[in-house]
Amino acid sequence: MKLNKLVISVAALAVVSTGLFAGTSSMNVEKMFEKECQGCHGPNHEGGVGADLRPEKIAKINAYTLAEVILNGRPGTAMPPFSEKMNKADAQKMVDYLQHFKGKKIEVLTLDAVTKGWKKLNDRTALMKKYPHAVDVKKVTDICFVTERDAERVTFVDGTTGKILSRHPAGFAVHVTVTNKRQPRYAYSISRSGLVTMFDLASKGQQKIAEVQVGSDSRGLAVSPDGKYLMAGNYVPGGAILMDAMTLEPLKVYPTSSVIDMDGNIGSSRVAGIYDTPYGPYIAFALKDAGHVYIVDYSKPNYPIVGDIPNIGKILHDGFENEGKEIGRYLMQASQGSDVMGVVDFKTKSLVAKVYTGPGSKPHPGQGSSWYNERYGQLYATNSMNVGDVVIWDSAWDVVAHVRTAGGGLFVGTSEHTPFIWSDCVLGGPANWNKIYLINKQTLETDRILTVGTKKGTITDPVTHKVLYSWNVPTVKDKNGKVVVPRILHAEPANHGHWTMVSEWNAGRIGIYEAKTGKFVKYIKGLTTPTFTYSIEHRQSIPGA
């Protein structure tokens, strides 16, 4: 067994830039990295969604070349341009920091530390008595979450009218929202800054019940199907946290500061996806850097890990579960470093297959897609980050189709109410990031393409290029007065299946479309970088979501 070769210092090195432009930069380089870069490149620069930036990987690359990548981004990948947030001196200072980085102290997740960050904000029982039924909507399942990334808040919307109900601060870059399927009046969010917040959706203004600071860099959430437990996943300090779903009281932590990866190295691992399943009393979590999935049995005393599934692949990310027969039995776990979807069986607690998604594809299913096809039976799909490709496979774990799109995407989704799989192209660059491909669930071919232009939106036939529908689009300008090409992503069913809600990230609005046709309905405006929309009603029936 080899020890991790990463050199860990007692504290992060205080770097003084020696680059050409260093004297003109006042940027706090470590804080900038933590806020903007760490999520993709890792707390110790070890990579993930983004490249490995440790000195041994980049020390010999020309500093000017690296600075240009920082400022201009990398087309066809998740690396955006930072020219609006950094000048040339800032970029050079960042390069110097990266090329001379000496490592950070590996923090260890502890129950005491998490418990200190737990706060009760409202009396849950008193609110339930005061508001026995939903006040702002007909029923709580009408509500949709919207994560407003740069505004550091979650916004609640009536998913039947599009009316904004309330807004709440919820931490930097709110990342994931989930609902309690047993008691859907309670919902939860987690920010990338490690803040977990619990809301009462039935109360006036969707009031907060409690919050807990689980770490400094976090990602995932899941609620047990019995409604009793909530689990959060951390990047820093690495590990998972089990909480009481009615109070957010921390119950147990699962540190991942010392685990074995696929190459036999011992080191820390971030925790990526967190998954509940109706198949058994389990919550699973993925070790991003170690390539394992752990299964926790919350029905047993002390909530033990009862399954350890290794060797799924490198750089694990998100995933989803099967619908149809034996719903929730199989977890489709994305491995972006190995370009596979690992299939974990909750029944046997083993890895039963690896679905290869193609070279350099970096699968990113988001909520994923699972549906019944008349020819193949139950099918599953993921988007690909680095190439315009939706990969579809069957229950024998064989790929049955590659559907080409205009560019790399982040989310692919569907529901029983739409004949399409909706796949975004948000990583496809300005020429393509305003498109969503509507793929027919039976033919497995692109049926129509939704495009949001700067003045007009269209639904077109991909073969004849005939415009099937069109609508006027309000023009949006950035802070410099430049007209922006709407960057659209994440199609979410809403309004009892009648609508699909699509986020326009840089235009500050959500487009609403007919689920059956893709025809435009209206906009929800006045939002700040809406990234992720979550329909309480839709997610009630989706395993692991």
Side-chain angles (χ1 to χ4, degrees):
M1 184 183 299
K2 297 176 288 184
L3 292 178
N4 193 323
K5 296 180 180 179
L6 177 64
V7 177
I8 305 301
S9 63
V10 175
L13 181 68
V15 176
V16 178
S17 176
T18 58
L20 178 61
F21 302 99
T24 61
S25 175
S26 59
M27 180 181 72
N28 185 320
V29 68
E30 291 187 21
K31 289 197 176 296
M32 175 62 78
F33 185 89
E34 288 176 4
K35 183 178 181 180
E36 299 291 348
C37 313
Q38 181 170 287
C40 290
H41 294 287
N44 262 298
H45 308 188
E46 64 271 50
V49 172
D52 186 333
L53 297 179
R54 287 175 289 187
E56 58 265 34
K57 296 290 185 179
I58 65 169
K60 295 182 180 180
I61 300 177
N62 183 280
Y64 288 97
T65 300
L66 292 173
E68 285 298 311
V69 172
I70 291 171
L71 293 173
N72 299 320
R74 292 187 67 186
T77 75
M79 177 66 184
F82 282 93
S83 54
E84 292 189 2
K85 296 182 179 181
M86 298 186 202
N87 57 33
K88 290 183 178 181
D90 296 332
Q92 186 66 31
K93 187 174 183 180
M94 178 64 76
V95 170
D96 194 71
Y97 165 71
L98 296 173
Q99 290 185 323
H100 296 88
F101 182 68
K102 298 298 183 183
K104 285 187 176 181
K105 179 182 178 181
I106 297 298
E107 300 177 49
V108 178
L109 183 66
T110 69
L111 184 60
D112 285 345
V114 176
T115 302
K116 288 178 182 177
W118 173 43
K119 296 179 182 178
K120 296 180 182 179
L121 303 175
N122 263 307
D123 187 319
R124 183 184 66 85
T125 303
L127 282 178
M128 186 168 58
K129 289 179 179 179
K130 185 175 181 179
Y131 305 107
H133 306 290
V135 175
D136 294 335
V137 288
K138 290 182 179 179
K139 52 185 179 179
V140 294
T141 49
D142 289 339
I143 292 178
C144 296
F145 273 97
V146 177
T147 60
E148 294 188 80
R149 184 191 187 278
D150 291 350
E152 303 187 12
R153 66 190 175 202
V154 294
T155 293
F156 294 101
V157 173
D158 185 335
T160 66
T161 67
K163 178 185 176 183
I164 293 176
L165 303 174
S166 64
R167 287 181 159 113
H168 302 271
F172 168 71
V174 184
H175 193 69
V176 169
T177 53
V178 296
T179 185
N180 191 313
K181 293 174 183 175
R182 180 60 62 90
Q183 299 190 62
R185 72 178 288 155
Y186 301 117
Y188 314 83
S189 68
I190 189 168
S191 71
R192 289 194 175 189
S193 56
L195 182 66
V196 176
T197 308
M198 177 182 179
F199 300 90
D200 183 342
L201 302 185
S203 66
K204 184 69 175 176
Q206 297 72 55
Q207 296 179 46
K208 294 180 180 180
I209 300 295
E211 64 184 23
V212 58
Q213 191 72 40
V214 296
S216 60
D217 190 355
S218 307
R219 288 299 183 277
L221 280 181
V223 185
S224 60
D226 65 2
K228 294 181 179 179
Y229 304 102
L230 175 74
M231 181 174 278
N234 271 358
Y235 276 17
V236 182
I241 304 94
L242 190 70
M243 294 163 276
D244 185 318
M246 291 295 99
T247 65
L248 292 192
E249 178 185 2
L251 301 174
K252 185 173 180 177
V253 299
Y254 303 84
T256 56
S257 56
S258 182
V259 291
I260 303 173
D261 67 17
M262 289 181 62
D263 297 323
N265 299 312
I266 299 175
S268 178
S269 179
R270 295 163 284 180
V271 167
I274 309 279
Y275 314 100
D276 61 274
T277 174
Y279 191 77
Y282 307 132
I283 297 181
F285 61 95
L287 278 63
K288 189 178 190 77
D289 305 293
H292 296 238
V293 164
Y294 286 165
I295 300 174
V296 170
D297 188 332
Y298 55 79
S299 70
K300 293 183 177 180
N302 202 33
Y303 322 111
I305 293 174
V306 295
D308 177 3
I309 298 87
N311 301 318
I312 293 171
K314 295 185 177 181
I315 310 298
L316 304 187
H317 198 62
D318 52 9
F320 66 104
E321 294 170 13
N322 70 297
E323 297 181 46
K325 186 179 180 181
E326 294 188 290
I327 184 171
R329 175 177 172 177
Y330 298 103
L331 166 64
M332 317 293 165
Q333 174 61 57
S335 164
Q336 296 187 332
S338 302
D339 296 317
V340 301
M341 295 294 300
V343 183
V344 173
D345 185 345
F346 283 114
K347 182 176 182 178
T348 62
K349 299 181 180 63
S350 64
L351 180 67
V352 295
K354 292 186 179 183
V355 179
Y356 182 56
T357 56
S361 56
K362 286 199 174 184
H364 191 288
Q367 70 184 54
S369 283
S370 179
W371 73 97
Y372 182 79
N373 179 277
E374 294 173 359
R375 176 183 177 185
Y376 294 105
Q378 199 69 27
L379 291 180
Y380 317 93
T382 182
N383 220 325
S384 302
M385 290 181 64
N386 280 7
V387 293
D389 186 23
V390 175
V391 185
I392 301 172
W393 63 97
D394 62 16
S395 294
W397 319 127
D398 293 323
V399 173
V400 298
H402 286 270
V403 183
R404 300 301 180 185
T405 66
L410 288 178
F411 298 101
V412 58
T414 191
S415 77
E416 62 181 308
H417 304 288
T418 179
F420 310 118
I421 307 160
W422 298 61
S423 174
D424 66 48
C425 305
V426 70
L427 300 179
N432 296 306
W433 68 28
N434 62 338
K435 298 179 175 66
I436 286 187
Y437 276 57
L438 278 60
I439 300 165
N440 188 293
K441 292 194 290 189
Q442 298 305 319
T443 66
L444 308 185
E445 296 179 351
T446 299
D447 192 282
R448 51 196 67 184
I449 300 171
L450 186 159
T451 305
V452 182
T454 57
K455 295 181 179 180
K456 180 180 285 189
T458 59
I459 299 288
T460 58
D461 183 295
V463 177
T464 65
H465 304 294
K466 178 182 178 181
V467 176
L468 306 176
Y469 308 106
S470 66
W471 63 96
N472 293 326
V473 173
T475 298
V476 175
K477 297 181 180 180
D478 62 20
K479 62 182 181 181
N480 298 316
K482 182 180 179 181
V483 174
V484 301
V485 177
R487 194 171 187 180
I488 65 178
L489 73 161
H490 196 272
E492 178 78 1
N495 192 12
H496 316 301
H498 297 302
W499 290 350
T500 298
M501 303 174 76
V502 176
S503 297
E504 295 191 19
W505 195 83
N506 59 345
R509 62 196 178 203
I510 289 174
I512 297 176
Y513 302 88
E514 291 181 357
K516 293 186 183 296
T517 64
K519 189 175 181 179
F520 176 76
V521 178
K522 61 180 177 180
Y523 277 121
I524 303 173
K525 301 178 182 179
L527 302 169
T528 302
T529 54
T531 308
F532 177 85
T533 307
Y534 179 108
S535 165
I536 304 298
E537 180 185 48
H538 172 60
R539 300 304 179 103
Q540 287 297 101
S541 60
I542 306 298

